[in-house]
Amino acid sequence: MESELRKFQEFALQAISSAQSSADLEHVRVQYLGRKGQMSELMKGLKDVTSEQRKVIGQVANEVKKKVEAAFSEREKTLEVGERKAREDEEWIDISAPGTASAQGHLTLVTQAIEEIAEIFSQIGFVQVRHPEIDWDWYSFESLNMPKTHPARDEWETFFIADGDKVQTGEKGKVVLTPHSSNGQVREMERGRMPIRAININKCYRRQSTVRHSPMFHQFEGWLIGENVNITHMKGVFDYFVKQFFGPDRETRLRPYHFRFTEPSFEIDISAEKGKEDSKLYKDGWLELGGAGMMHPNVLRAGGLDPEKYTGIAFGWGLERTMMMKSGMNIDDIRLLYKNDMRFLEQF
Ligand code: FA5
């Protein structure tokens, strides 16, 4: 039995050292040292020997078992280290390598401009408001001192909402796509909160399409209404806005003009960026950005205010045109903004 144990040791050590993976080694363990393995089988023979022999054989068996078990743990460690190393090599990632960024969108140029303009006006106390973009004739024209048949209305080249040939009419007149953000003037006064210092940024619609005109565009329109508001406040607001938005080297000029809802009225032009004076966008180096003026007493009355007590300034500018005038913009056709050409949009 002793020689069998020695043989067992020899074979077991041999098998352990030839195992090439932890899985192989586990098989070897089960085969030699497992509950039904060879060692257990051998030990069953103990019951057939004399008690003296059993003592000696027991010692040998213990010695053999210890040796085999030691060889087993040794091999187990070696194999594990090798396997971990192989796994590390295989699964290694370079955490300093640049990742593959997923495509990320961004706000459109127009939305960026809306946010920037609203922010600049908020710094001087103008709150952003919104009024309907589909409105009644009353708010778009009549309350703005333009009676139904007045020729001044023709300038706006308005889209009316029609059902077939029949223009839709509600309690305050025909339904129109607002041609300007001025439809909010009387609506804001009707809210009844004085003084008013608000900026209305809205979509507007006109039957126009040229490098300077888009059928749908935005205006931002400011109102400052209260006691003792005068034209110097208007100048102060423009100076602040232009400096913040365009920088110190661009100029604005006021041209006397006529709007039915302001008296006196002006158009505000901005000078071309240096070196771009010949762009097709400009007329003699200037581009009109918007209109402005002191609110007409009839408009204040339409909004329920006493023109003897209150005065107000109003200005309405084209948002896209204002944005296009920013240095470095280089957009010479306003309609590019709405063509949804990714090659264009991705540049901003
Ligand atoms: C008006 O719309 C007046 N409601 C502005 C105003 C408000 C005057 C308050 C006085 C007091 P006007 O039609 O000039 O004015 O348009 C104002 C600006 O809107 C223009 O200067 C231009 O910058 C822009 N604009 C007008 N039509 C278009 C268009 N089709 N596409 C792009 N921008 C336009």
Side-chain angles (χ1 to χ4, degrees):
M1 199 171 163
E2 202 181 327
S3 71
E4 277 177 63
L5 278 167
R6 297 285 176 211
K7 230 183 236 161
F8 164 83
Q9 175 180 324
E10 190 186 326
F11 285 129
L13 292 181
Q14 175 80 40
I16 287 170
S17 64
S18 348
Q20 292 304 312
S21 68
S22 310
D24 280 356
L25 190 65
E26 178 59 12
H27 284 305
V28 173
R29 194 189 62 76
V30 171
Q31 192 185 345
Y32 289 90
L33 296 174
R35 216 154 35 85
K36 292 181 183 159
Q38 289 184 15
M39 185 75 185
S40 304
E41 286 302 313
L42 274 175
M43 296 317 280
K44 280 181 190 163
L46 270 186
K47 67 179 186 318
D48 303 328
V49 298
T50 63
S51 61
E52 246 147 67
Q53 281 175 316
R54 195 175 301 156
K55 226 174 162 188
V56 179
I57 293 172
Q59 262 177 6
V60 176
N62 257 346
E63 198 184 294
V64 166
K65 198 172 177 213
K66 267 194 193 141
K67 269 196 186 143
V68 173
E69 277 176 349
F72 179 83
S73 343
E74 180 90 349
R75 185 73 186 144
E76 191 174 40
K77 264 189 223 138
T78 314
L79 287 173
E80 259 177 22
V81 169
E83 283 168 7
R84 189 173 329 119
K85 171 90 174 56
R87 201 166 50 239
E88 279 169 3
D89 286 350
E90 192 184 319
E91 295 175 1
W92 180 85
I93 45 166
D94 180 359
I95 55 165
S96 68
T100 326
S102 49
Q104 216 175 17
H106 62 76
L107 297 176
T108 66
L109 202 46
V110 173
T111 309
Q112 290 176 36
I114 289 174
E115 291 191 348
E116 185 178 356
I117 289 168
E119 166 62 25
I120 292 174
F121 279 103
S122 80
Q123 289 160 8
I124 46 173
F126 282 73
V127 290
Q128 190 182 351
V129 295
R130 277 198 84 172
H131 289 287
E133 291 161 1
I134 301 176
D135 209 348
W136 283 307
D137 181 294
W138 166 258
Y139 291 110
S140 304
F141 297 113
E142 203 155 344
S143 68
L144 297 175
N145 202 28
M146 284 184 269
K148 282 208 171 52
T149 53
H150 200 280
R153 286 168 169 245
D154 298 345
E155 272 179 40
W156 313 107
E157 307 199 43
T158 314
F159 291 108
F160 290 91
I161 305 281
D163 183 2
D165 287 344
K166 200 166 161 283
V167 174
Q168 300 249 314
T169 307
E171 60 183 281
K172 291 190 175 172
K174 289 179 184 168
V175 184
V176 299
L177 293 183
T178 51
H180 56 179
S181 43
S182 302
N183 68 313
Q185 292 188 10
V186 165
R187 283 184 172 277
E188 191 63 33
M189 291 179 225
E190 283 176 349
R191 285 184 168 168
R193 288 185 298 223
M194 292 299 290
I196 292 171
R197 197 186 289 198
I199 187 106
N200 177 34
I201 308 186
N202 255 6
K203 289 194 191 75
C204 307
Y205 305 85
R206 297 186 191 181
R207 284 188 293 116
Q208 298 170 329
S209 178
T210 72
V211 291
R212 280 184 291 270
H213 298 90
S214 163
M216 190 282 291
F217 62 101
H218 293 74
Q219 285 185 347
F220 57 99
E221 173 147 345
W223 308 305
L224 176 59
I225 310 174
E227 291 178 43
N228 302 318
V229 172
N230 63 52
I231 221 159
T232 59
H233 295 118
M234 187 169 89
K235 184 80 173 69
V237 170
F238 291 166
D239 285 349
Y240 183 79
F241 175 73
V242 167
K243 271 201 176 65
Q244 295 294 311
F245 193 78
F246 296 105
D249 62 329
R250 307 291 285 279
E251 286 172 44
T252 52
R253 69 175 183 192
L254 302 188
R255 266 184 297 118
Y257 196 70
H258 175 74
F259 290 105
R260 287 285 298 176
F261 36 92
T262 44
E263 181 58 38
S265 304
F266 307 94
E267 286 215 300
I268 297 110
D269 298 340
I270 177 153
S271 61
E273 190 187 344
K274 287 208 167 44
K276 296 262 166 61
E277 292 83 354
D278 294 335
S279 157
K280 59 183 174 176
L281 204 55
Y282 298 100
K283 275 190 203 149
D284 306 323
W286 294 89
L287 183 86
E288 172 200 318
L289 287 184
M294 297 299 298
M295 284 180 149
H296 196 287
N298 287 351
V299 178
L300 294 170
R301 267 185 220 107
L305 299 180
D306 176 3
E308 297 299 323
K309 184 172 177 199
Y310 294 113
T311 47
I313 62 170
F315 53 93
W317 295 18
L319 182 127
E320 290 82 352
R321 288 208 198 162
T322 304
M323 174 181 80
M324 287 158 72
M325 290 310 97
K326 255 198 161 176
S327 301
M329 268 302 181
N330 242 342
I331 303 170
D332 61 3
D333 187 333
I334 194 170
R335 294 165 298 186
L336 273 172
L337 292 167
Y338 295 110
K339 281 202 170 134
N340 287 339
D341 183 334
M342 293 302 283
R343 289 168 303 179
F344 172 79
L345 295 174
E346 279 170 358
Q347 293 176 47
F348 302 98

